[in-house]
Structure formats: C-alpha cells, structure tokens
Amino acid sequence: MRAALYTRVSTAMQVEDGFSLDAQLDRLRAYCASQGWTIAGVYTDEGQSAKTLERTALKQMIYDMTLRKIDVVLVYKLDRLTRSVVNLYELLQTFDRYTVAFRSATEVFDTTSATGRLFITVVAAMAQWERETIAERSREGQIQMTREGRWSGGNRPFGYHYREGQLTINDPEAAVVREIFQRYCSGQGIATILHWLNHPQRLQLAPNGHWRQWGLKYLLRNPLYAGYVRYGYRIKSVANQRYQGKPLIVRGQHAAIVEEATFSQAQALIKQKATTPRRDGTGKFPLTGVLYCGLCGARMTGFTWTRAKGGVNLRRYYVCVEAQHTRLCPMPLLRQEVVEGEVLAELAFQFEKFAALTSNRPLLDHGVQKKQQITALETQLRDVRKRSKRWMDAFESGHINSSELRQRLDGLKMREQEITLQWQTLQTEPSPTERNELKSILSSFHNTWESANIEEKKQLIHSVIDRIELRPGPKTGRIYSAQVTLTFKT
C-alpha cells in the first residue's frame, strides 16, 4: 500500500518529548516497514492547530488523494490529524470518496470497517469533550478567582508586577498611569496624551515599547487601577471581540494606583464624550474615507492650520492618523491642494489609459490575454507545489535534514503567496465593459469636480475609487510633493 505520512506539531508542543516532527516520522517509517508499505509522501504542518482544516500540508495531501496517489493515511496519533468531531467526519468522508484508509501508529484505529469508524468517532468526540471541559473549568476558575478579589490572569497589566500569584505596584510604570489619569481628568484628549507619551525626546514607559490609541483607552477604562478586578469585559464573537454588557467587578486584593474618585471622574468624562454629537464628517476634505497612508497603512484625515498675522491665513493638510496620534509613522503633513491635484492628474492618466484600451484593442483579445496570464500563473503554482513535494521526498529519503527542509519550504511558500496574489489581482481586474463604464465617468470627472461643492466632490470620489494610497514625494522648499496609487471600484 502507498502510505501518506502526516505529521503536525502545534507551537506549544514543538519541544515536548515524543511529539517532535522527527520523533513522529521515525515512528511512522518504522510502522510502514513493519506493514510492508511504501511511503507515497510526507506531509508536515509545523506550528499549526488541529482545530481547523486550513493547513497547508493537509490540503496538499487531500489534493494528492484526488490524483489517486495515496492508499492509506498514517498518523502518530489521532489528535495529530484533528481534534474536532465535525472535521473528523469531513475527513473520513473525503477518505471514503477516494478509497483511502486511515491508520494511527499508536492507537487501534481501522477505518475499513463500520465498527472501526464508530470507534474513531467516539474517541474524537471524547477528545473534543475533554478540551471543552478543560476550557469550561478554566473559565469557572477565573470567575472564582475574580469573586475572591484576585486577578484572573492574562498579560501583565501595565503598572504592576505579578509575582507568586499577587499583583504588586511597579513604581516607575505606576507614575505614568497616575499622570495619564491626571491629564485626562484635567481636560486633555486622547491625542494630546498620546503625543506626550510618544514624544521622541521624552518617551514614557509603555506596555509594548510605545503607546497606541486602543491601549490608552483600555487603560483609562480598566477598574484594576482603582483597586478592582473584573471578568467578562470582552466576549468572543464570530467576527471579532465585543464588549460584554455586565462584567463581574469585585474589590481586589491588590493596591490601587489611582484613587477611586479619580477613576470615577475619568469614566464620567468618557461617557460624556461618547454621547457628544459629532460633526457631519463632510468638512473641507473630500478624499477622507478612501485616503490611506502608503507608509503605515493607517487612514488619513484632514487638518486645518490657522495663523493670525496680518489677517487669518488658513492652510489645509492631509495627515496620517498614526502620525498624528502616536508620532510612530514618518508621514509628513501634505498640502490639500498638492494631494488633490495629484489625484486629479492620476485620474486623467487613467482616463487616457482606459481610452486606449477600449478603443485600440478588441474585447476578445483582452479576454484571451487575461485568460492566458491566469493559466500561466496556475502553471507556476503547480510547479511550486511540485517542487515542495520533491523536497519532502528528499527529506523522506534522508538526503536532507529537517532544518534544510524547513528552509526550502519557507522560500517556496513565499513564492506561492506572491503568485497567488498576482492570480487574485487578475481575477478582480475590471473587464473591458467595466472599463468602458469607467471611461465614461472619468471623461467628465474634471469638469464635474471643478463645479462641485465639497460634499459633491466626496460623493464623486467615492463613486469610482475604493482606495487611495498616498506617499510623500520629493520636497521643494518646505512643501512635499505627493505620489498616489488609485484602486478603482469593481
């Protein structure tokens, strides 16, 4: 029989005895030798969880099944393959579809019989039940610790040491925490406090080397600094983390860093600012909402500078939010007229480009060319995967060691990601018909822009552009030029 050897280690288990990749492979090779099987391939997922089937080597193994290269899948233990009952059923159905058996080298599992399939399902169900039971007991333990006034764990809170199960004050960090609350309660906003915390000439102590907006807001809302502990502040959801309505909050055993009255004043200010109506958002900057920093990826917003000297002098700029709030991005202030002028110039260039494409090339030619490019990329992807398979074979034959294998596979994985990105770009490229529609809009864009008000300009930009990436260009005197990259809506 042709056996596929599947091995996996999670990040936390890579150094545990008996679970290393080499130890698993040695056991699997010995098992194949005892059964008289030939090794069809070695499939290794390193540092990946068994809770999902989205694993590179596992998907490659299933692909090879479709090519009828495998007769049996051999693993060290069942939990190397999966820990989920649902995923196990899905895998067994796939194995059955391609007449592939499943064996474990250390457990009595045989999927060739109904009894064997029942047994393996029951064992997997028990494994999932055990994992869920452990998680439930862990939650219960954290709730009980909170009720007793003890911190229930997680990342060490800024301002405290955690030693022998107790939180004790870290004096240098606690001084920063007190200053943050004092500044906020005196009327300073989040942006102003971030400027102080991240100022390059007087950097303050920070949780991860520097302060960000989310971390500062979390600190100001955390009752731990007033001497309380809480559980259930955030809950997991399918899409992201959301705040839980009523977390458990109990007086803690640790010392407070700020007085309770100061913390209460900060919470009242937070609530007051959250209910203050905001401006309608149209402002004087039509590119906001689609304009992003090309240096750090953050959004860009508008900034108006006023100078009263012989009359009011207004200058408007686009500024990176990350640079504005944390000073961690080197993006300079870019003049509004420079940025918007460059966007209009790029739109004019795109209009000429689309006009040439739609008038000088038959629609069929473009479609054929695009299909040929996609086919070529798919051929390159298959070639990269074949090369990965050859390196796995070389490792299985003993020609290279595991470190050399990982080095080779890492390089091929990067190449595969590059090709995949190119393939996805071609798939979403506008068709010639869509180009014609865009051409019609762009042909009248400049005239419409000149006669439109700010709100109409914003609507016009949003109707055709999905994203604008902005980078600073060469500097003339004190003024930077701008470089833009446009992504059109499809």
Side-chain angles (χ1 to χ4, degrees):
M1 295 182 71
R2 299 168 298 172
L5 310 186
Y6 180 77
T7 59
R8 182 191 63 81
V9 289
S10 62
T11 303
M13 299 180 66
Q14 288 180 6
V15 297
E16 293 187 11
D17 293 336
F19 281 100
S20 69
L21 291 175
D22 292 337
Q24 291 181 52
L25 286 173
D26 288 343
R27 185 63 177 268
L28 297 181
R29 289 194 184 101
Y31 189 93
C32 286
S34 69
Q35 300 295 316
W37 295 347
T38 59
I39 298 176
V42 176
Y43 305 86
T44 299
D45 280 315
E46 183 175 359
Q48 298 193 44
S49 171
K51 296 178 182 179
T52 175
L53 298 182
E54 292 299 317
R55 291 173 256 158
T56 305
L58 179 61
K59 291 195 288 187
Q60 182 63 45
M61 183 178 72
I62 294 174
Y63 175 74
D64 288 345
M65 284 183 192
T66 65
L67 302 179
R68 306 293 179 179
K69 295 181 178 181
I70 299 169
D71 298 316
V72 60
V73 173
L74 180 64
V75 297
Y76 180 74
K77 291 182 67 177
L78 174 62
D79 61 7
R80 300 300 85 204
L81 183 66
T82 182
R83 294 177 183 270
S84 165
V85 174
V86 174
N87 290 343
L88 178 62
Y89 272 121
E90 184 177 339
L91 287 171
L92 288 177
Q93 290 171 357
T94 302
F95 294 170
D96 287 340
R97 189 178 306 121
Y98 298 105
T99 322
V100 175
F102 171 71
R103 294 285 182 87
S104 168
T106 59
E107 299 154 324
V108 187
F109 297 144
D110 179 5
T111 61
T112 58
S113 66
T115 303
R117 285 193 292 272
L118 173 62
F119 185 56
I120 196 172
T121 303
V122 170
V123 171
M126 293 297 293
Q128 182 173 343
W129 170 81
E130 181 180 5
R131 185 176 69 252
E132 292 177 353
T133 300
I134 292 173
E136 185 177 336
R137 289 175 178 172
S138 176
R139 287 193 296 271
E140 291 175 351
Q142 290 177 321
I143 292 173
Q144 183 59 34
M145 290 178 67
T146 303
R147 286 173 176 161
E148 294 173 0
R150 295 184 292 157
W151 183 57
S152 60
N155 295 327
R156 178 186 69 85
F158 182 79
Y160 287 95
H161 295 294
Y162 186 64
R163 297 169 179 167
E164 298 179 355
Q166 297 293 326
L167 288 175
T168 57
I169 292 180
N170 179 324
D171 290 326
E173 293 182 356
V176 177
V177 173
R178 294 189 187 99
E179 182 69 12
I180 288 172
F181 274 92
Q182 188 276 325
R183 286 173 176 264
Y184 190 77
C185 290
S186 67
Q188 291 188 13
I190 295 295
T192 304
I193 297 174
L194 280 172
H195 286 167
W196 166 70
L197 290 168
N198 291 318
H199 195 286
Q201 295 181 354
R202 51 175 187 274
L203 285 174
Q204 305 298 318
L205 294 173
N208 296 301
H210 56 265
W211 287 90
R212 292 189 181 275
Q213 190 176 56
W214 184 92
L216 177 57
K217 289 182 176 180
Y218 181 82
L219 182 146
L220 287 168
R221 292 188 180 99
N222 195 344
L224 186 84
Y225 298 107
Y228 291 84
V229 290
R230 71 180 172 190
Y231 177 82
Y233 176 62
R234 291 187 302 273
I235 57 173
K236 290 284 187 179
S237 66
V238 176
N240 51 26
Q241 289 187 340
R242 293 192 174 93
Y243 298 117
Q244 182 168 327
K246 295 181 180 179
L248 175 64
I249 300 177
V250 178
R251 170 67 70 176
Q253 297 179 5
H254 64 284
I257 292 179
V258 299
E259 296 181 358
E260 190 167 343
T262 301
F263 182 79
S264 298
Q265 182 182 355
Q267 304 318 295
L269 285 171
I270 291 172
K271 185 176 181 181
Q272 177 184 344
K273 291 180 180 182
T275 56
T276 301
R278 297 187 177 185
R279 293 183 301 174
D280 59 10
T282 57
K284 300 293 183 181
F285 301 90
L287 301 186
T288 54
V290 295
L291 189 63
Y292 292 83
C293 175
L295 301 182
C296 72
R299 286 184 178 272
M300 298 197 69
T301 187
F303 170 74
T304 301
W305 181 70
T306 305
R307 180 176 62 184
K309 186 177 181 181
V312 176
N313 185 3
L314 294 178
R315 290 180 184 172
R316 293 193 174 93
Y317 300 86
Y318 284 103
V319 57
C320 169
V321 171
E322 187 71 22
Q324 183 184 36
H325 287 167
T326 68
R327 303 289 177 89
L328 297 175
C329 177
M331 173 67 83
L333 295 173
L334 296 178
R335 290 275 187 96
Q336 179 184 25
E337 63 270 20
V338 172
V339 175
E340 293 175 7
E342 186 62 26
V343 170
L344 291 176
E346 181 65 17
L347 283 168
F349 170 76
Q350 292 295 336
F351 167 65
E352 294 177 1
K353 177 180 174 182
F354 288 136
L357 281 170
T358 53
S359 61
N360 298 331
R361 182 186 297 168
L363 298 183
L364 181 60
D365 288 346
H366 176 269
V368 171
Q369 184 184 42
K370 180 176 177 180
K371 186 175 181 180
Q372 289 173 345
Q373 291 174 335
I374 291 174
T375 302
L377 289 174
E378 290 173 344
T379 301
Q380 292 179 43
L381 276 175
R382 286 193 294 269
D383 179 63
V384 168
R385 288 164 181 164
K386 287 179 181 178
R387 291 168 62 188
S388 298
K389 176 67 166 53
R390 286 198 291 270
W391 284 118
M392 294 293 289
D393 290 341
F395 172 66
E396 184 274 324
S397 302
H399 296 303
I400 60 174
N401 57 36
S402 58
S403 62
E404 291 174 319
L405 174 66
R406 294 188 189 103
Q407 182 179 1
R408 299 289 186 181
L409 292 184
D410 286 345
L412 289 171
K413 184 176 181 180
M414 290 181 63
R415 178 58 182 156
E416 182 178 357
Q417 290 173 344
E418 292 173 0
I419 298 172
T420 301
L421 180 60
Q422 295 177 33
W423 181 87
Q424 291 173 341
T425 301
L426 276 176
Q427 291 284 7
T428 58
E429 184 184 30
S431 67
T433 303
E434 292 169 330
R435 282 198 175 101
N436 278 327
E437 295 176 356
L438 190 56
K439 174 187 172 183
S440 176
I441 296 174
L442 293 180
S443 63
S444 60
F445 192 96
H446 191 274
N447 291 335
T448 305
W449 180 271
E450 291 298 327
S451 61
N453 60 34
I454 296 297
E455 186 173 358
E456 290 169 342
K457 288 180 178 180
K458 195 178 188 75
Q459 293 174 353
L460 186 60
I461 284 288
H462 282 249
S463 68
V464 294
I465 296 178
D466 184 62
R467 182 183 180 95
I468 304 173
E469 286 198 0
L470 176 63
R471 291 177 178 271
K475 191 176 182 181
T476 303
R478 296 183 178 181
I479 301 175
Y480 284 91
S481 60
Q483 299 173 349
V484 298
T485 303
L486 308 184
T487 302
F488 292 99
K489 289 190 173 181
T490 57

